Amino acid sequence: MLKEQEVLSVIASVSDVQLRVWVSKDWVRPAQDGSTPVFNEADVARVRLLDTLINQLEIDHEATPIILSLIDQIHDMRAQMRRVSEVIEEQPDDIRRTILDLMSDGS
Amino acid sequence: MEDPYKVLGVDKDASDADIKKAYRQLAKKLHPDLNPADKDAEERFKKVTVAFGLLGDSEKRQKFDRGEIDASGAETPTHQYYKEYAGGENAQQYRSDANFEDLGDVFSDLFRRRGADQGQHLKMRGRDVRYHLSVDFLEAATGQTKRLTLPDGSSLDVNIPEGIKSGQTVRLRGKGMAGSGGGPAGDALIEVEVRPHPMFRRDGNDIVVDLPITIDEAVLGGTADVPTISKKVRVTIPKGSSSGRILRLKGQGLKAQGANKRGDQLCVLQIALPGEIDGELEALAEKWREAHPYNPRENM
């Protein structure tokens, strides 16, 4: 778990003001240890993502939460899809066959 | 892991030739065979050799400068992209609020299967959870307790305060995600949407209604029973009332939040003609206007 200063030293292209703004906008959600934000690995990766979107790709603040929301929704959907796929794989052959055949007919 | 540039004592933009020179000078100084008794020298010499092994090879140096390998020459882990963490136990705070229930039963069951937070070592306040609740105009006007059903099947009783505006949020302390390590639970934030009413409109803390009156009531005056958000009130229609005239019912509006004052109900008179204009009315109107012309549009 990293503190604010440590995150800033690992990701040099992000300023302390930026990081605080992004936390205040809930784009990165560090856990709170009392009043100190504490960043885990996923949070740090999130900060890198924001750095890419905002500093390198120059996406503005209006579009950023839309993009983050879409990314998060996609990840959730991928996880669900993976799970459905796992369940189908576990089925006996005839059921798997039936499902796969049905999926390749239609729209 | 020490910075190899620092170990060799050169700047990051030093040329390959400079790096070679720096290495040679340090190697000469620190070589164990030239300093047999100096234990430190041997340690430092090892470091210098390793550093030069990295920076002296131009391909390795470029990779290091780009961050693809670290000072020991090992590939830096690709655990830098957010997608590696998405959905994992360390990224629960980024789970989307997206609701997949419209995709069918299979998906709503999957969605409900949220893993509980792995306990972490630090004492942390749980996350706030956002909900949306739609209420009737009158429920919002008078205040109401509503039951909110949560995705996991449990329910929450929410007190909708009297006079709440559409878009305001009700905060229920401690009803969000559980905290960990003994930390407090987060809050439930319920955004309240107030559905419009076919008859009552809101203007600040006042209620506005259109009150239809007959032609004869407009001319002669009269009385009418008007509904308000709490009861029926009898109003007096003044003689000679045109459309747009406002009758104010004091104290029949909404309670200002946090105050004891109440707004008013404004009844906007609207002259309504009968559904069918019969011959008698027409004749009356024609006769009347000959003798009593007047121009309501003279100021336009």
Side-chain angles (χ1 to χ4, degrees):
Chain A
M1 304 289 281
L2 297 165
K3 296 228 182 71
E4 206 179 76
Q5 280 311 310
E6 293 167 289
V7 176
L8 293 170
S9 63
V10 174
I11 308 172
S13 37
V14 173
S15 75
D16 56 347
V17 173
Q18 272 193 319
L19 184 57
R20 262 171 238 148
V21 168
W22 296 348
V23 172
S24 75
K25 288 186 182 296
D26 215 30
W27 295 346
V28 55
R29 298 174 191 153
Q32 293 288 120
D33 182 19
S35 57
T36 317
V38 199
F39 297 79
N40 67 19
E41 286 175 87
D43 297 324
V44 176
R46 192 91 170 170
V47 174
R48 280 190 213 277
L49 172 61
L50 285 165
D51 178 36
T52 303
L53 290 176
I54 294 171
N55 292 336
Q56 284 160 43
L57 299 178
E58 298 193 353
I59 289 173
D60 67 325
H61 277 200
E62 300 301 314
T64 298
I66 297 172
I67 291 174
L68 289 177
S69 165
L70 291 172
I71 290 175
D72 289 340
Q73 285 181 60
I74 287 182
H75 284 305
D76 274 8
M77 294 209 84
R78 288 172 62 87
Q80 319 292 27
M81 292 300 292
R82 236 175 278 136
R83 181 73 190 120
V84 173
S85 176
E86 274 165 34
V87 168
I88 294 177
E89 282 301 304
E90 287 162 20
Q91 298 310 306
D93 275 7
D94 55 334
I95 296 185
R96 259 184 43 238
R97 260 304 84 222
T98 308
I99 294 176
L100 293 174
D101 285 344
L102 287 170
M103 292 210 314
S104 47
D105 306 337
S107 71
Chain B
M1 193 76 353
E2 259 188 85
D3 179 5
Y5 288 97
K6 287 214 181 83
V7 170
L8 295 178
V10 296
D11 289 326
K12 285 204 152 78
D13 54 359
S15 69
D16 288 353
D18 284 353
I19 288 183
K20 216 173 202 175
K21 202 164 139 193
Y23 167 71
R24 287 225 177 98
Q25 283 184 336
L26 285 167
K28 271 192 267 183
K29 224 170 78 174
L30 300 170
H31 198 286
D33 288 330
L34 305 173
N35 300 278
D38 193 344
K39 268 276 146 37
D40 268 8
E42 190 172 325
E43 265 311 305
R44 286 179 61 203
F45 179 76
K46 279 191 192 142
K47 283 193 183 147
V48 165
T49 308
V50 167
F52 183 65
L54 186 71
L55 299 179
D57 177 322
S58 74
E59 201 189 299
K60 281 194 187 153
R61 182 186 178 184
Q62 279 177 50
K63 276 195 166 159
F64 175 79
D65 288 343
R66 285 196 298 260
E68 287 164 20
I69 55 178
D70 64 21
S72 74
E75 301 266 314
T76 41
T78 45
H79 262 28
Q80 292 185 50
Y81 296 106
Y82 176 70
K83 71 175 186 127
E84 304 291 333
Y85 300 94
E89 59 185 35
N90 281 334
Q92 287 300 305
Q93 63 274 34
Y94 301 113
R95 287 289 289 276
S96 80
D97 287 340
N99 187 321
F100 300 124
E101 276 158 39
D102 66 312
L103 299 177
D105 289 352
V106 172
F107 284 92
S108 22
D109 282 345
L110 285 175
F111 177 73
R112 233 170 264 134
R113 244 204 284 139
R114 303 187 137 210
D117 254 343
Q118 303 285 333
Q120 304 203 321
H121 307 298
L122 296 165
K123 182 176 177 184
M124 287 188 292
R125 184 181 177 275
R127 238 200 106 199
D128 287 343
V129 187
R130 285 182 179 78
Y131 300 103
H132 179 270
L133 184 62
S134 174
V135 300
D136 263 336
F137 188 92
L138 289 173
E139 287 174 326
T142 56
Q144 180 83 280
T145 303
K146 294 284 284 188
R147 175 150 290 192
L148 179 69
T149 308
L150 306 182
D152 68 1
S154 66
S155 57
L156 208 55
D157 281 332
V158 184
N159 178 40
I160 307 292
E162 199 187 336
I164 193 169
K165 289 190 170 129
S166 196
Q168 282 188 297
T169 300
V170 174
R171 178 184 284 268
L172 297 180
R173 298 216 169 274
K175 297 287 183 193
M177 303 279 292
S180 52
D187 302 335
L189 298 168
I190 297 140
E191 187 186 317
V192 178
E193 180 201 340
V194 181
R195 294 191 290 269
H197 192 278
M199 180 174 61
F200 296 116
R201 295 193 305 277
R202 181 176 189 150
D203 181 9
N205 288 325
D206 293 333
I207 300 278
V208 182
V209 291
D210 289 330
L211 182 58
I213 59 177
T214 63
I215 314 174
D216 45 285
E217 283 172 335
V219 172
L220 304 167
T223 61
D225 287 329
V226 184
T228 68
I229 55 176
S230 55
K231 57 183 179 180
K232 267 196 163 38
V233 175
R234 176 152 289 186
V235 296
T236 304
I237 301 164
K239 210 168 158 185
S241 292
S242 289
S243 287
R245 182 173 193 154
I246 295 180
L247 302 182
R248 182 180 285 268
L249 302 176
K250 279 208 101 45
Q252 293 300 324
L254 297 163
K255 198 151 154 286
Q257 292 232 279
N260 272 326
K261 260 183 60 163
R262 231 173 224 292
D264 306 327
Q265 173 158 316
L266 306 174
C267 309
V268 184
L269 299 181
Q270 305 290 352
I271 300 176
L273 265 54
E276 287 201 29
I277 312 284
D278 61 87
E280 220 183 299
L281 185 53
E282 265 194 67
L284 180 68
E286 271 173 25
K287 192 165 156 215
W288 187 84
R289 79 169 157 191
E290 271 160 44
H292 308 276
Y294 73 105
N295 186 6
R297 297 181 286 276
E298 65 185 324
N299 293 322
M300 286 181 85

